[in-house]
Amino acid sequence: MAIRVLLAEDQQILREALVSLLDLEPDIEVVATAERGDTVIGLVETSKPGTVLLDIGLPGISGLSVAKEIRQRFPDVRILLLTSLDKPGIVREALSAGVQGFLPKGISTAELVDGIRQISMGKPVVSPTLLSAALSVGDNPLTPRERSILQLAAAGTPPPEIAQQLFLAEGTVRNRITGIIGKLSARNATDAVRIAQEAGWI
């Protein structure tokens, strides 16, 4: 019986290329494709794939958020993340979300096909280098609110605007930033952004 795959990738040329390549495999059938994260769950319901091949950077809802929802609602569906975002913190978050596979986009077609087959048999597929880096970096110490603040700070948003966007008092934002700096053992806010980005926490 063919492995039923749902492919979620926002770049059309890459999505079409992957479908063409996977359709050449006699034991793999692409049953649905998605270009946005917020359409994936509906497609899982209707197309009933055994494996979902997800890009992390999907518009609408991120691949990680989609993976968490799939895990909750469709526990038997296998999830393989294919992405250029291979920072340790992201890998760790993906694994804690119940993702069975995490592969970088630089892999060969043969490696991808082998990964899909391995996952369909219940075997985890994660690059050993990525796995050791993910385990060494530890859990993300930032709360969702702290991540939101730091993401805005990383984009160059000043505290008054961060406060306005997140419906917080400016003093609260400044206190949170000070707390984040302490949490990450950073020298200042810029250093905190660098540390969090390198770890894949924001």
Side-chain angles (χ1 to χ4, degrees), residues 71-88:
R71 180 58 42 246
Q72 288 173 348
R73 296 181 55 181
F74 310 98
D76 294 334
V77 174
R78 314 280 182 190
I79 304 168
L80 173 58
L81 287 178
L82 184 66
T83 181
S84 54
L85 299 172
D86 56 1
K87 292 176 179 174

Side-chain angles (χ1 to χ4, degrees), residues 29-129:
E29 178 188 3
V30 179
V31 294
T33 61
E35 60 183 270
R36 294 181 56 84
D38 47 17
T39 64
V40 173
I41 297 299
L43 288 169
V44 172
E45 285 180 322
T46 55
S47 64
K48 296 182 170 42
T51 299
V52 177
L53 186 57
L54 273 178
D55 179 18
I56 283 187
L58 292 170
I61 303 175
S62 77
L64 268 179
S65 297
V66 172
K68 290 173 185 174
E69 191 169 352
I70 291 172
R71 180 58 42 246
Q72 288 173 348
R73 296 181 55 181
F74 310 98
D76 294 334
V77 174
R78 314 280 182 190
I79 304 168
L80 173 58
L81 287 178
L82 184 66
T83 181
S84 54
L85 299 172
D86 56 1
K87 292 176 179 174
I90 293 173
V91 178
R92 192 178 179 93
E93 190 174 347
L95 295 177
S96 66
V99 169
Q100 288 87 3
F102 195 106
L103 293 172
K105 280 188 174 177
I107 60 168
S108 67
T109 305
E111 288 173 306
L112 174 60
V113 169
D114 183 60
I116 291 171
R117 288 178 180 140
Q118 294 289 329
I119 278 182
S120 73
M121 292 187 287
K123 298 177 182 176
V125 179
V126 183
S127 150
T129 310

Side-chain angles (χ1 to χ4, degrees), residues 138-159:
D139 288 324
N140 188 342
L142 303 176
T143 65
R145 175 64 83 189
E146 287 171 338
R147 290 172 76 172
S148 298
I149 290 170
L150 204 55
Q151 281 167 339
L152 287 169
T157 311

